[in-house]
Amino acid sequence: MKFHSQAVAKPYFVVALVLFFGQVLFGLIMGMQYIDGDFLFPQIPFNVARMVHTNLLIVWLLFGFMGASYYLVPEESGTELYSPRLARVTFWTFTVAGVATILGYLLLPYAELARLTQNELLPTMGREFLEQPTIIKIGIVAVCLSFVFNIGMTVLRGRKTVITMILMTGLVGLAVFFLFAFYNPSVLTVDKFFWWWVVHLWVEGVWELILAAILSFVLIKVTGVDREVVEKWLYVIVAIALISGLIGMGHHYFWIGPGEYWLWLGSLFSALEPLPFFMIVMFAFKMVKQSRHQYHNRAARTWALGTAVMAFLGAGIWGFLHTLAPVNYYTHGSQITAAHGHLAFFGAYAMIVLAIISYAMPIMRGRPHGNPPSAQRWEIAGFWLMTLSMVGIALALTVAGAWQIALQRLPKAGEALGFIATQEKIIPVYWAREILGALFFLGLVCYLISFFVGRSKQTVGTESLAKSRLPQIAALPALESK
Amino acid sequence: MADHLTKGMARNIYYGGSFTFLLLLFGLSFHTLRELPERDYRETMTEAVATGKEVWENNDCIGCHSLMGEGAYYAPELANVFDRRGGGDERAFRGFLQGWMSVQPLAAPARRKMPQFNLTAEEIDALAAFLIWTSRINDNNWPPNIEG
């Protein structure tokens, strides 16, 4: 660790992983409810489990992005963090707000939560992913502002690199676009129109900048490749991401009210959205091939390459699969959407956070050369189990979606099966999904075990290093005494 | 990557390109927002429709259902439930919804369950108004059939 203040990232990463664990547990509960509607009903109704599942995801990814920024920005800028104290205050605020929200979902009926938090003063609740009480949303804004301020001041104070500049644009965009969460007009079409300014402009816009910046940082570290090579790529990748993604938002405007020209614009531009992800794959493998040094943290390299590949698969391929309007007409709001959502969120955003954790956490724990091989084996086992299970889940949901469309949407009215009847037919596929979900959970457990394997002194390479440096260190007092 | 593309050029493509397309998005959005009232028949929106949307939100209906294909995929699409369950007859649909909400959760074993929300008759009526209004939005003919 080059700067002491980078260590503020550690609690962010720890909480991110705890929330990730919770997210997966609630995923398993929902998977079971897809099979048996009586499962945990009425203690945890499906909508509550889903809020917990999706909100935990958003919050742990934000914890991950914040931890990543606090870790990498001082190092990139060549200076201590502007205010480690502010970062710690922000951390506790966000943790308390996050935990309170989840407990609120679980312990109170949602309407009661809305009433208690005075939602009627500024109604923002009850919209997908934006279910948090308004007061919590205000807290999120405060947390984001303090975070962006802290990172921004650090960037201004130190060396400005391409990575930090792109990260900054991403973080400012994240904070700005979240403000649309407060705009909830009573006209549904306008509400939906601007809801996407948070959701789409986050996950298919500014989050991609954050992803590209973090991934570039990790790749530079694990390969030792010259940053000059990275920077040009990075600019081109994020440029294409935004150019395609901004108007690509049109693929959400097909069937919610806006005019027909969005069918063309949305199809055309969102069809280009896989391109930056493809370039990320090329870029990542090219860098690893050109590696300049023997790097001992194999796990971190595995996560970095995995992120590139899985982001392309989940966001790129699975996104393209249903993005063209004539296809989307049949797939919109089906299990195909769920398949894409799972693979893209895991492949792009969950994995990039796990990649930076894999790189930075050992360093913060006093293992500059990575975890001992025994720990890395657990971590890499976790990587494969989680990654392959998620591919399996996405495949299962794709089959479920195709089946759903064939039974419910393709036949003419009268011959088509109703929604619930269709879902009951698909249950065998939901079983497959649930089993794969259990395997994913197992992978997560392996991954978490890796943090507790191997004594902290015993790290890769320390033995050889110790041998080579020992005589010099031993000689030092002798020199000084002279 | 091509050598004739310098880092400065790449940077300009990033800032210039993003800014240009952001402006284009603003322009298109401005146009869409002006056009929307004709597509959602805003002049037919009553107080009850707005109240109905509040009921919809305060009970997190979107946590199980989809509305115009957006939301969760656990329970049926509701932007066309007026056509599906009310056959386009407003009175019939209002009556149906009162009855349907009152019998939840259904006793059918293993079937997906809707909780009992204990809504008042007025709230259910407002919800019906909201769903009826929503069903008439011009959504480029989605979904493909009445099953949603």
Side-chain angles (χ1 to χ4, degrees):
Chain A
M1 208 162 46
K2 287 193 178 138
F3 298 93
H4 287 298
S5 53
Q6 288 178 278
V8 297
K10 200 171 163 183
Y12 281 88
F13 289 153
V14 172
V15 169
L17 293 178
V18 171
L19 300 181
F20 180 30
F21 186 81
Q23 188 212 349
V24 176
L25 276 186
F26 277 86
L28 288 172
I29 291 177
M30 293 157 74
M32 215 42 227
Q33 290 178 330
Y34 258 84
I35 295 162
D36 176 5
D38 290 319
F39 185 70
L40 288 182
F41 184 89
Q43 295 79 21
I44 305 178
F46 181 85
N47 69 315
V48 173
R50 187 175 195 266
M51 272 194 296
V52 175
H53 180 69
T54 58
N55 284 226
L56 279 175
L57 167 69
I58 297 165
V59 174
W60 86 259
L61 292 181
L62 290 179
F63 266 103
F65 292 165
M66 288 181 186
S69 307
Y70 287 130
Y71 185 86
L72 76 81
V73 168
E75 190 160 330
E76 281 287 298
S77 305
T79 168
E80 292 285 355
L81 184 67
Y82 175 73
S83 170
R85 194 157 157 256
L86 184 62
R88 279 190 285 271
V89 172
T90 312
F91 166 78
W92 283 110
T93 314
F94 199 28
T95 304
V96 169
V99 171
T101 309
I102 301 301
L103 288 179
Y105 292 158
L106 284 170
L107 300 177
L108 294 169
Y110 192 73
E112 185 61 18
L113 187 64
R115 199 185 58 79
L116 273 180
T117 56
Q118 314 246 316
N119 188 50
E120 74 277 4
L121 294 180
L122 177 61
T124 65
M125 292 173 72
R127 294 174 302 152
E128 194 186 8
F129 311 132
L130 303 181
E131 295 94 348
Q132 313 81 32
T134 304
I135 180 83
I136 296 291
K137 288 196 182 85
I138 294 171
I140 294 175
V141 171
V143 165
C144 285
L145 284 181
S146 125
F147 161 62
V148 172
F149 169 75
N150 210 349
I151 294 294
M153 291 304 284
T154 314
V155 168
L156 283 179
R157 202 157 76 169
R159 184 174 64 140
K160 285 144 201 77
T161 68
V162 176
I163 288 177
T164 56
M165 293 317 284
I166 287 172
L167 183 68
M168 267 319 282
T169 2
L171 296 179
V172 170
L174 182 150
V176 168
F177 290 125
F178 184 69
L179 296 178
F180 284 96
F182 291 92
Y183 182 56
N184 180 21
S186 53
V187 183
L188 181 70
T189 48
V190 182
D191 167 13
K192 280 180 174 287
F193 188 85
F194 284 111
W195 179 83
W196 283 114
W197 285 56
V198 187
V199 178
H200 174 90
L201 293 184
W202 266 22
V203 302
E204 293 174 66
V206 292
W207 282 26
E208 287 181 24
L209 309 190
I210 299 169
L211 160 74
I214 301 175
L215 187 60
S216 302
F217 175 80
V218 175
L219 283 171
I220 288 176
K221 295 296 164 184
V222 302
T223 63
V225 167
D226 199 20
R227 70 169 57 238
E228 282 296 315
V229 184
V230 179
E231 292 176 332
K232 206 162 67 174
W233 275 87
L234 190 54
Y235 269 135
V236 174
I237 286 169
V238 293
I240 300 175
L242 282 187
I243 290 170
S244 64
L246 286 167
I247 308 296
M249 182 150 65
H251 67 175
H252 301 295
Y253 290 161
F254 293 163
W255 327 113
I256 61 170
E260 281 168 34
Y261 60 83
W262 285 109
L263 298 176
W264 292 96
L265 285 175
S267 300
L268 193 71
F269 279 87
S270 67
L272 298 174
E273 282 184 42
L275 205 58
F277 287 103
F278 181 67
M279 290 176 71
I280 287 177
V281 178
M282 306 271 290
F283 157 68
F285 278 90
K286 193 176 159 188
M287 281 187 74
V288 169
K289 214 173 144 193
Q290 292 175 354
S291 281
R292 291 231 178 138
H293 57 72
Q294 187 66 31
Y295 193 71
H296 296 294
N297 190 344
R298 272 180 53 230
R301 194 174 49 206
T302 309
W303 280 111
L305 286 177
T307 304
V309 173
M310 294 298 290
F312 173 61
L313 200 64
I317 301 290
W318 250 261
F320 181 77
L321 211 66
H322 60 142
T323 201
L324 300 175
V327 176
N328 193 260
Y329 184 64
Y330 293 99
T331 59
H332 179 54
S334 72
Q335 294 297 322
I336 302 273
T337 317
H340 164 57
H342 280 84
L343 203 56
F345 262 97
F346 178 72
Y349 300 122
M351 286 182 78
I352 188 60
V353 172
L354 298 178
I356 181 90
I357 290 178
S358 181
Y359 167 72
M361 207 57 172
I363 299 174
M364 288 192 286
R365 296 175 75 198
R367 301 167 168 183
H369 303 284
N371 289 320
S374 53
Q376 287 197 38
R377 272 196 293 276
W378 279 97
E379 188 179 348
I380 291 173
F383 166 90
W384 284 108
L385 253 177
M386 284 196 274
T387 304
L388 292 176
S389 308
M390 189 49 87
V391 170
I393 289 173
L395 286 172
L397 290 174
T398 305
V399 171
W403 201 353
Q404 176 184 16
I405 292 162
L407 294 177
Q408 185 194 323
R409 288 185 173 167
L410 288 177
K412 291 199 167 43
E415 292 161 30
L417 228 48
F419 179 88
I420 292 288
T422 304
Q423 293 297 315
E424 280 168 0
K425 285 236 191 279
I426 301 173
I427 284 178
V429 188
Y430 292 139
W431 267 116
R433 184 265 297 266
E434 186 69 353
I435 292 164
L436 288 157
L439 284 175
F440 185 95
F441 180 73
L442 203 66
L444 177 58
V445 171
C446 288
Y447 171 78
L448 293 175
I449 286 174
S450 78
F451 286 88
F452 302 96
V453 172
R455 279 174 300 128
S456 61
K457 301 277 180 248
Q458 193 184 43
T459 66
V460 179
T462 40
E463 264 185 15
S464 53
L465 271 173
K467 269 180 201 153
S468 61
R469 281 186 191 161
L470 216 56
Q472 296 165 12
I473 294 166
L476 270 174
L479 283 167
E480 273 166 359
S481 65
K482 277 181 188 172
Chain B
M1 192 176 300
D3 285 332
H4 54 261
L5 182 80
T6 65
K7 197 171 100 183
M9 286 158 76
R11 185 188 57 220
N12 293 344
I13 294 173
Y14 170 55
Y15 287 113
S18 311
F19 187 67
T20 308
F21 280 85
L22 192 63
L23 285 183
L24 182 59
L25 177 66
F26 286 155
L28 288 165
S29 299
F30 183 70
H31 176 265
T32 297
L33 288 175
R34 284 177 56 123
E35 190 190 43
L36 263 179
E38 291 153 35
R39 296 177 58 89
D40 59 30
Y41 306 102
R42 207 160 302 168
E43 72 283 357
T44 63
M45 244 189 92
T46 59
E47 194 86 353
V49 173
T51 311
K53 185 168 180 272
E54 283 168 26
V55 175
W56 170 268
E57 287 167 357
N58 287 344
N59 291 282
D60 190 40
C61 305
I62 203 82
C64 290
H65 291 277
S66 59
L67 191 66
M68 307 181 95
E70 294 173 356
Y73 322 115
Y74 189 68
E77 163 66 35
L78 294 184
N80 65 346
V81 70
F82 169 55
D83 304 303
R84 190 166 60 242
R85 298 290 181 206
D89 180 334
E90 293 197 17
R91 255 193 62 181
F93 179 66
R94 285 169 195 275
F96 160 78
L97 198 61
Q98 293 283 352
W100 183 253
M101 295 303 287
S102 73
V103 296
Q104 303 303 323
L106 297 180
R111 187 187 193 275
R112 296 181 187 180
K113 295 287 181 307
M114 174 150 84
Q116 175 53 251
F117 289 102
N118 298 309
L119 302 178
T120 65
E122 291 76 41
E123 285 173 326
I124 295 176
D125 213 47
L127 194 56
F130 170 64
L131 292 174
I132 293 168
W133 179 79
T134 302
S135 76
R136 293 177 175 143
I137 295 168
N138 179 350
D139 55 6
N140 293 330
N141 262 326
W142 193 86
N145 68 33
I146 201 159
E147 299 300 343

